[in-house]
């Protein structure tokens, strides 16, 4: 049996297959038939997505980062999933990571994600906060990059690169990730 690399909290199920409605069309899919989401790789429990690990590893303090516990944020009834949080471990200490799907990215939602991740960092004594916007395409990632700039009042000139958003305690790092990471 293959074990997950880290734990993912999931809502309790009554054993019935949930249905997911596709827009206002009336068409619905069972959970296994629904269109893929960029958040699926984050919530699969198979570890941090490779693209995100590559971006984080460019900073020496995150070179060996691994997830410990992941939690979908927002409503459990919300499908597809648009946000999540992971408590991760690196040699530099614990890291509170918030992830937002670029398709559901606004400055207000990113501010909420940052507040959630910062409060979680304080609760679990994490030394660092990371806010990531995950996109399937460069166009979506560009939307996420602009939302990060607006939310944190800082320049984010490149996609797939980690930036220190402000000098605070704990430090907050941000990045807009393109492609399926």
């Amino acid at each position: 049996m293959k074990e997950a690399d880290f734990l993912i909290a999931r809502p309790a199920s009554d054993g019935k297959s949930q249905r997911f409605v596709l827009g206002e069309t009336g068409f619905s899919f069972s959970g296994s038939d629904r269109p893929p989401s960029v958040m699926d790789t984050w919530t699969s429990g198979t570890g941090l997505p490779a693209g995100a690990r590559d971006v984080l590893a460019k900073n020496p303090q995150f070179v060996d980062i691994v997830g410990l516990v992941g939690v979908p944020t927002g409503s459990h009834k919300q499908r597809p999933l648009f946000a999540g949080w992971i408590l991760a471990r690196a040699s530099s200490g614990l890291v509170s990571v918030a992830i937002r799907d670029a398709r559901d990215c606004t400055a207000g939602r990113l501010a909420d994600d940052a507040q959630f991740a910062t409060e979680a960092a304080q609760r679990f004594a994490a030394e660092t906060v990371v806010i990531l916007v995950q996109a399937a395409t460069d166009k979506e990632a560009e939307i996420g990059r602009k939302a990060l700039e607006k939310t944190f009042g800082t320049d984010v000139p490149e996609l797939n690169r980690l930036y220190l958003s402000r000098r605070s305690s704990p430090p907050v790092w941000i990045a807009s990730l393109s492609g399926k990471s």
Side-chain angles (χ1 to χ4, degrees), residues 113-142:
D113 293 342
Q115 181 178 351
F116 183 94
T118 301
E119 289 171 0
Q122 292 167 347
R123 183 177 305 116
F124 295 104
E127 310 228 352
T128 309
V129 173
V130 175
I131 309 297
L132 301 173
V133 175
Q134 179 67 65
T137 66
D138 285 349
K139 183 178 179 181
E140 289 175 0
E142 187 63 27

Side-chain angles (χ1 to χ4, degrees), residues 45-116:
T46 58
L48 300 179
R53 266 195 332 270
D54 291 345
V55 169
L56 291 165
K58 291 176 185 171
N59 185 314
Q61 76 184 61
F62 303 121
V63 74
D64 57 352
I65 192 167
V66 288
L68 299 174
V69 177
V71 179
T73 57
S75 169
H76 290 302
K77 295 179 181 177
Q78 179 186 16
R79 295 290 186 250
L81 178 65
F82 287 114
W85 172 80
I86 295 173
L87 179 63
R89 173 185 51 80
S91 58
S92 61
L94 293 176
V95 183
S96 178
V97 182
I99 310 100
R100 168 75 51 189
D101 185 328
R103 295 175 299 164
D104 188 53
C105 188
T106 65
R109 288 186 177 125
L110 284 175
D112 291 345
D113 293 342
Q115 181 178 351
F116 183 94

Side-chain angles (χ1 to χ4, degrees), residues 2-23:
K2 178 157 175 27
E3 294 293 324
D5 286 352
F6 64 95
L7 299 175
I8 298 290
R10 301 193 196 295
S13 172
D14 60 3
K16 297 178 183 174
S17 176
Q18 285 185 299
R19 310 273 318 161
F20 300 95
V21 177
L22 181 63

Side-chain angles (χ1 to χ4, degrees), residues 137-154:
T137 66
D138 285 349
K139 183 178 179 181
E140 289 175 0
E142 187 63 27
I143 293 167
R145 185 189 68 74
K146 289 177 182 175
L148 284 167
E149 286 184 334
K150 184 175 181 179
T151 303
F152 294 99
T154 190

